Amino acid sequence: MSAMIELEKLGKRYPGQATPAVDALDLSIPEGEIVILVGPSGCGKTTTLKMINRIIEPTSGTIRLQGEDVTRADPDQLRRRIGYVIQQVGLFPHQTIGRNITTVPRLLGWPRKRIEERLDELLHLVGMDPATYRDRFPKQLSGGQRQRIGVARALAADPPVMLMDEPFGALDPISRDRLQNEFLRLQQEIRKTIVFVTHDIDEAVKMGDRIAILREGSAVAQYDTPEAVLAAPADDFVREFIGSGAVLKRLGLTRVRDVGLAPWPTSAIGEGREAAVRAAASSDHGCLLLLDDRRRPLRWVQARELGDPGYSLDRRGLEVRNTVGPDATLAAALEALLAGRSGAVAVVDDAGALLGVVNLDTLMSAVDAAHDGRPVDRRATDDELAAR
Ligand SMILES: Nc1ncnc2c1ncn2[C@@H]1O[C@H](COP(=O)(O)OP(=O)(O)O)[C@@H](O)[C@H]1O
Ligand SMILES: [Mg+2]
């Protein structure tokens, strides 16, 4: 994919400061991707972001947007192509949500009807009912809702590029997680080129198509996919920044649908004990998954628990308590696996029907694949999904 933004030797030096805030940064940001700038506090992330839309003027280097040198272009023109979301949201407190969101379209002189349609569309897009929220004021909203409004406002004039500076930093962990998930879903729809700043490596790994790990002066320590960074940190600085738990982080990156599901012996409960015994004998798992007549998992049953014809099948073995869907992360699958006693977790479709299982072997090979530098593709296409 072509680069949407190219930074070449970009720098910011403040007079009287011994070290530059940003020193000769080279970075190429592909169209339609979320690129995360992550690094310790004070390393130059905010300065870099503000230079891209020229709130801060660079003292050296070049910024190219869609191939065009915009380092010295008219900043107002430039900002129409770039939406900006800052941590403190910065909504105008005395203006309604509607007026806040439509600031840029009004500045651009859009006709009233178009502005109103766009407002409703944006509120829907960020999951807020237009009739309920349009005329409210910022202080009547929760932190998470204000953050959604900040995103809607940045998207108002449909810019190809979004800059986001620690957009979820001020939220509690639960709202934060929810907004991150919502935003990833939204991005599937809008496919903007996004430069996203955070100091939180977990957020970087979760949100980024690519992450740039920055050290002082916005020097790039490593720029790669989250999988590659976690599997092969470039140096000690990156290793230390990632911290412990790299394997678990990696399991959080891969979806169940992206790994080969293990087959498992099954039998429909309606087919009776004999069929179940035969199914159990046909595999060396020693454990059978009993299904209902719509292939929904009911019970894990050991082969030896099938022996006694005396009592009915639906009381043998262990009830299936945890299942996961194809969208679950391997970390969630591991948790479900550890919560049960069967050594495997059933993967089911939307209707609850069995697709296969994830067991420890599946998880280990996903981790090994990443070790070998063969990152498991976490963006399987619908066609690939259908073929599985
Ligand atoms: N107006 C300024 N004058 C002098 N130094 C500044 C100014 N703004 C930022 N800096 C310095 O530039 C460095 C990078 O700051 P910043 O981009 O805000 O870092 P980050 O967002 O990664 O925490 C810091 O060391 C900061 O002290
Ligand atoms: Mg900052």
Side-chain angles (χ1 to χ4, degrees), residues 22 34 54 92 130 173 185 187 210 229 239 271 278 303 309 359 374 385:
V22 173
I34 302 182
R54 309 230 339 261
F92 305 120
R185 267 199 304 277
Q187 166 67 354
R210 264 167 235 267
V229 171
R239 201 167 295 117
E271 285 168 12
R278 275 197 305 279
N359 57 15
R374 292 183 282 118
L385 277 180

Side-chain angles (χ1 to χ4, degrees), residues 211-270:
I211 58 188
I213 297 183
L214 305 176
R215 51 180 129 227
E216 209 180 319
S218 270
V220 180
Q222 189 166 8
Y223 183 40
D224 213 327
T225 60
E227 290 87 346
V229 171
L230 290 175
D235 58 21
D236 284 345
F237 174 83
V238 176
R239 201 167 295 117
E240 205 163 297
F241 194 74
I242 292 170
S244 56
V247 169
L248 283 179
K249 285 188 179 84
R250 249 167 26 219
L251 289 179
L253 271 177
T254 307
R255 305 272 159 187
V256 164
R257 60 162 189 258
D258 297 330
V259 299
L261 296 185
W264 201 263
T266 61
S267 186
I269 201 158

Side-chain angles (χ1 to χ4, degrees), residues 39-353:
S41 175
C43 75
K45 304 180 295 293
T46 295
T47 308
T48 301
L49 214 56
K50 287 184 171 170
M51 284 198 290
I52 295 174
N53 73 353
R54 309 230 339 261
I55 293 174
I56 292 178
E57 292 291 353
T59 45
S60 59
T62 312
I63 306 162
R64 261 186 286 276
L65 185 65
Q66 295 170 301
E68 177 194 339
D69 185 344
V70 294
T71 325
R72 263 155 283 277
D74 173 6
D76 289 330
Q77 295 280 344
L78 178 63
R79 281 174 212 141
R80 283 176 202 168
R81 294 156 71 181
I82 301 177
Y84 192 52
V85 185
I86 55 171
Q87 178 168 344
Q88 288 77 19
V89 192
L91 298 180
F92 305 120
H94 304 298
Q95 291 193 6
T96 62
I97 296 309
R99 284 188 74 80
N100 266 287
I101 292 178
T102 57
T103 306
V104 174
R106 282 186 289 115
L107 278 174
L108 295 177
W110 288 16
R112 204 170 135 177
K113 186 157 174 296
R114 183 171 168 211
I115 291 178
E116 269 163 26
E117 283 166 3
R118 182 64 179 154
L119 173 59
D120 283 6
E121 188 184 6
L122 287 162
L123 281 167
H124 278 303
L125 206 56
V126 297
M128 292 174 70
D129 176 48
T132 311
Y133 292 104
R134 194 192 286 128
D135 298 321
R136 292 204 182 167
F137 288 89
K139 66 169 185 297
Q140 298 172 292
L141 304 187
S142 71
Q145 289 173 329
R146 281 202 289 266
Q147 208 62 56
R148 289 185 182 89
I149 301 303
V151 170
R153 183 175 61 175
L155 285 170
D158 204 19
V161 172
M162 295 256 281
L163 307 178
M164 306 178 80
D165 196 351
E166 313 230 8
F168 310 132
L171 301 174
D172 64 88
I174 292 171
S175 319
R176 185 177 205 197
D177 193 55
R178 188 180 309 142
L179 251 72
Q180 288 171 339
N181 295 338
E182 274 177 25
F183 190 74
L184 286 174
R185 267 199 304 277
L186 179 63
Q187 166 67 354
Q188 293 294 310
E189 219 171 296
I190 61 180
R191 297 277 176 193
K192 299 292 179 191
T193 304
I194 295 166
V195 190
F196 187 116
V197 160
T198 179
H199 62 269
D200 175 2
I201 184 68
D202 290 310
E203 182 167 65
V205 162
K206 176 175 179 181
M207 303 299 289
D209 292 304
R210 264 167 235 267
I211 58 188
I213 297 183
L214 305 176
R215 51 180 129 227
E216 209 180 319
S218 270
V220 180
Q222 189 166 8
Y223 183 40
D224 213 327
T225 60
E227 290 87 346
V229 171
L230 290 175
D235 58 21
D236 284 345
F237 174 83
V238 176
R239 201 167 295 117
E240 205 163 297
F241 194 74
I242 292 170
S244 56
V247 169
L248 283 179
K249 285 188 179 84
R250 249 167 26 219
L251 289 179
L253 271 177
T254 307
R255 305 272 159 187
V256 164
R257 60 162 189 258
D258 297 330
V259 299
L261 296 185
W264 201 263
T266 61
S267 186
I269 201 158
E271 285 168 12
R273 193 183 70 92
E274 299 295 322
V277 170
R278 275 197 305 279
S282 73
S283 108
D284 53 8
H285 278 293
C287 183
L288 172 86
L289 194 49
L290 276 180
L291 309 177
D292 71 5
D293 56 0
R294 287 148 83 182
R295 292 193 53 76
R296 291 177 297 201
L298 294 174
R299 304 184 76 81
W300 300 100
V301 187
Q302 301 289 330
R304 59 182 156 72
E305 294 172 310
L306 289 167
D308 182 357
Y311 65 108
S312 76
L313 269 183
D314 63 6
R315 284 171 33 227
R316 294 173 204 235
L318 286 173
E319 191 189 335
V320 173
R321 289 225 184 78
N322 298 302
T323 59
V324 295
D327 281 337
T329 63
L330 291 189
L334 175 62
E335 206 170 307
L337 187 152
L338 293 174
R341 276 186 288 160
S342 50
V345 56
V347 181
V348 297
D349 65 15
D350 284 345

